[in-house]
Amino acid sequence: VVTDPIELWASPTSRSRVEKDFFDTEFRPFYRTSLVIIKAIENTTEEVEKFNFTDRFDNNYEFGAMFNKKFLREVLSLQHKIENITFDFKEVEGDETVDHTYDLTAICNSPLSPFNTNCNINNVWAYWQDEESLIDAEFKPTVDIGRNLTYLDHFLDCV
């Protein structure tokens, strides 16, 4: 019985299979991406709602609830919980069964491995290096604009 999804869904001579085999040979095996998609739903009671922001050039923007600090903190908290998931697995090594405890790094895509085994995680928090304190940080601009620069100014500079 064939159970390998690659064997089930792609002929060995198909273009996608040939390209996948080339990639696996020349680089490293391709792993499917796992996604957690999070949507901010406006909620006045929870104070998670869209808001207006004026940048340092006096441009006005409407930011969705996704950029609400309370929501961003909850997203980062969820990310940390996912990163800290562990699971136990019994493996047969020779004549004995050995219990192992693994974490996400055992199964995630770590493109900088072996020098850096951190998982490749892409989210809005990358704009602030996954550091919660950076959304509260304010910086004095080099030219006086009547206020300090905030996490939203930083985001707008990046995009």
Side-chain angles (χ1 to χ4, degrees):
V1 174
V2 177
T3 58
D4 182 352
I6 294 169
E7 297 296 330
L8 289 170
W9 294 104
S11 158
T13 58
S14 71
R15 179 177 176 177
S16 62
R17 179 70 172 277
V18 169
E19 289 176 0
K20 182 208 173 301
D21 290 344
F22 173 81
F23 184 90
D24 289 354
T25 303
E26 297 299 320
F27 302 102
R28 61 187 242 186
F30 173 79
Y31 297 99
R32 292 178 187 238
T33 302
S34 296
L35 299 174
V36 175
I37 299 174
I38 301 171
K39 178 183 177 185
I41 298 174
E42 289 190 53
N43 183 327
T44 306
T45 306
E46 293 292 324
E47 300 176 357
V48 175
E49 47 198 342
K50 63 184 172 188
F51 57 95
N52 294 313
F53 178 77
T54 303
D55 72 5
R56 65 180 179 219
F57 304 110
D58 219 23
N59 297 311
N60 294 311
Y61 295 91
E62 180 179 80
F63 279 89
M66 178 186 127
F67 286 94
N68 177 285
K69 285 184 180 183
K70 183 176 182 179
F71 179 77
L72 285 171
R73 284 187 173 91
E74 290 295 325
V75 169
L76 187 60
S77 174
L78 176 60
Q79 176 182 321
H80 289 157
K81 288 176 185 174
I82 291 169
E83 290 174 318
N84 290 319
I85 291 173
T86 61
F87 58 95
D88 297 322
F89 188 75
K90 293 182 185 293
E91 290 185 276
V92 177
E93 295 179 2
D95 293 337
E96 59 185 83
T97 301
V98 180
D99 292 327
H100 292 283
T101 299
Y102 292 104
D103 62 14
L104 190 61
T105 61
I107 59 170
C108 74
N109 178 17
S110 315
L112 301 178
S113 181
F115 308 106
N116 179 335
T117 59
N118 291 334
C119 297
N120 182 14
I121 297 175
N122 297 299
N123 69 31
V124 70
W125 272 98
Y127 292 106
W128 303 284
Q129 295 79 46
D130 292 335
E131 291 291 333
E132 184 174 357
S133 64
L134 292 179
I135 66 168
D136 291 321
E138 294 190 5
F139 302 94
K140 184 176 175 127
T142 54
V143 176
D144 185 21
I145 60 171
R147 67 172 180 82
N148 287 336
L149 300 175
T150 70
Y151 76 109
L152 295 173
D153 291 296
H154 177 74
F155 172 78
L156 290 170
D157 283 346
C158 290
V159 296

